[in-house]
Amino acid sequence: MKTLTVALPGREYDILIENGLLSQAGRRCRAALPRAGRVALVTDSNVGPLYARLVRESLEGAGFAVEVIQLRAGEQTKCAQSLSGLWERFMAFGLTRTDAVAALGGGVIGDLAGFAAATALRGVDFVQIPTTLLAQVDSSVGGKVAIDLQAGKNLAGAFWQPKLVLMDPQALTTLSDATFSDGMAEVIKYGCIWDGEFFSFLEQRPCRERIMGEIEHVLYTCCDIKRQVVMEDERDTGIRMLLNFGHTLGHAYELAGHYERWTHGQAVAAGMVRAARLGHTLGVTDAQAAGRIAALLEQFGLPVEIPCTPEQYAAAIGLDKKGAGEDISLILLERLGRAVPKKLAKAEVLKLL
């Protein structure tokens, strides 16, 4: 068992990483939720048939009454209609403020169920049980929960820290290669922004089989970096913005594909390469960074360029949460392992793009 503690005063929680942890969900949740009698277990149509029964039986064995709520898989589910539907299901189940919501799935389910937990009854406890690589290394840690609006991704949300995060690396064995690679974009991001040695470690293991051979180390390293950042800047007003390297432009690419053609990981991959090249143009990023990032991403079948119109760039930058007035803090690299925010006029960024 590998354990990390996110030590936010009054909102501390553990991240547990161990093979077979899904079967221990009941015991682990009971320790973290001693007062809860009911757990609403939210999952999707991909993950539910694989793991919902195992987790439900484990929770029931620990004395919880469990309601499994299975939603359609896909980004389109992360919407206001689904959020409202979860509220109604929670109330019909008899959820109270001493009960809890658990998210069993990837980032969509974690974000949606977390936002529902943050807002139902003005907030109930929440457990993350991420089953994709992207969710395990990124979205399940740090308390950002949200839904999408027609205007863009994650534009309605909250900060709502979980009471516990349970990561079972064995769940990753059922992912398609494309979904696994989607998560690798976020794994590679951590090496880009924080730990150059970790980036080199990944370069030496440029395939799924070799990453899975050391997956607990990979998960621990990524979550430890995010844990440190979140403890210093929970509300995303300072250093936590560094975690959005590649995301400002990535959101433009997701928009360009109408949130259907390009996955989040694919869009972030292309966004990181474009940001590294932009940083070099601005004299911030060293000359080798973009090439090394692109080469590693391509080893995992991720795109390094995505077509995007000026209008799509403008829409994404205009809605970016790192923006303030006519300026934006664009996350750039000085070198692999060190990212910095650079305040630029939005018009200047668009001209450079």
Side-chain angles (χ1 to χ4, degrees):
M1 171 81 73
K2 292 183 179 291
T3 303
L4 288 161
T5 300
V6 182
L8 294 167
R11 298 177 305 289
E12 299 88 352
Y13 59 94
D14 287 336
I15 304 164
L16 306 182
I17 306 169
E18 186 180 45
N19 283 320
L21 204 53
L22 289 180
S23 63
Q24 303 176 35
R27 176 163 61 92
R28 301 295 179 180
C29 288
R30 176 52 69 197
L33 305 166
R35 297 190 304 156
R38 298 172 185 266
V39 174
L41 181 64
V42 184
T43 188
D44 69 23
S45 54
N46 288 339
V47 177
L50 295 172
Y51 303 120
R53 179 177 178 180
L54 173 65
V55 174
R56 185 197 73 218
E57 290 178 350
S58 181
L59 290 167
E60 289 174 342
F64 295 105
V66 181
E67 173 84 351
V68 177
I69 304 172
Q70 182 171 297
L71 304 176
R72 183 176 60 164
E75 185 73 30
Q76 67 276 9
T77 292
K78 206 170 83 172
C79 64
Q81 183 178 1
S82 297
L83 177 66
S84 176
L86 284 181
W87 289 333
E88 298 295 346
R89 290 289 297 271
F90 294 169
M91 297 307 102
F93 178 44
L95 208 70
T96 72
R97 294 191 71 183
T98 59
D99 295 323
V101 172
L104 175 67
V108 167
I109 290 299
D111 282 1
L112 172 62
F115 193 27
T119 46
L121 303 172
R122 296 191 175 91
V124 299
D125 287 339
F126 176 49
V127 173
Q128 285 271 24
I129 311 176
T131 59
T132 66
L133 181 58
L134 193 151
Q136 289 186 354
V137 300
D138 187 61
S139 60
S140 66
V141 177
K144 280 187 177 181
V145 294
I147 60 169
D148 302 336
L149 303 181
Q150 288 186 359
K153 285 194 63 171
N154 299 328
L155 294 180
F159 291 94
W160 192 249
Q161 299 295 340
K163 299 293 288 186
L164 179 68
V165 182
L166 299 175
M167 294 186 189
D168 187 339
Q170 287 181 344
L172 304 180
T173 62
T174 56
L175 300 180
S176 68
D177 285 341
T179 303
F180 187 87
S181 291
D182 211 42
M184 281 304 303
E186 294 286 357
V187 172
I188 292 165
K189 178 196 75 178
Y190 286 107
C192 291
I193 67 169
W194 198 269
D195 189 338
E197 290 186 6
F198 183 58
F199 189 92
S200 297
F201 169 92
L202 297 172
E203 286 182 309
Q204 295 161 22
R205 295 159 179 83
C207 65
R208 178 176 181 170
E209 182 180 7
R210 297 189 67 185
I211 292 294
M212 283 300 296
E214 301 189 58
I215 191 62
E216 289 192 14
H217 171 69
V218 170
L219 297 179
Y220 184 94
T221 301
C222 295
C223 290
D224 188 32
I225 292 170
K226 187 157 191 183
R227 176 186 70 94
Q228 294 176 56
V229 171
V230 169
M231 287 192 301
E232 184 171 337
D233 176 26
E234 181 183 5
R235 294 279 172 161
D236 203 12
T237 58
I239 193 173
R240 187 168 180 174
M241 289 193 292
L242 301 183
L243 295 172
N244 289 315
F245 174 61
H247 285 61
T248 297
L249 305 181
H251 288 159
Y253 302 142
E254 288 182 276
L255 178 63
H258 306 288
Y259 301 102
E260 295 177 354
R261 182 175 181 186
W262 306 107
T263 66
H264 179 70
Q266 289 172 330
V268 167
M272 290 192 292
V273 175
R274 191 75 174 92
R277 290 173 177 160
L278 188 60
H280 181 59
T281 299
L282 291 166
V284 177
T285 306
D286 75 55
Q288 306 301 316
R292 287 179 67 188
I293 295 168
L296 182 54
L297 291 167
E298 287 178 327
Q299 290 293 322
F300 290 95
L302 290 161
V304 298
E305 291 186 30
I306 291 176
C308 189
T309 67
E311 292 76 18
Q312 289 159 342
Y313 275 130
I317 289 171
L319 291 169
D320 193 285
K321 293 177 285 295
K322 297 181 294 302
E326 297 304 312
D327 296 327
I328 189 169
S329 291
L330 196 64
I331 308 304
L332 303 175
L333 301 182
E334 288 187 344
R335 60 180 186 277
L336 286 169
R338 178 171 172 78
V340 293
K342 185 171 179 62
K343 187 175 181 180
L344 296 164
K346 293 176 182 177
E348 181 182 359
V349 175
L350 292 171
K351 184 178 180 181
L352 288 166
L353 290 169

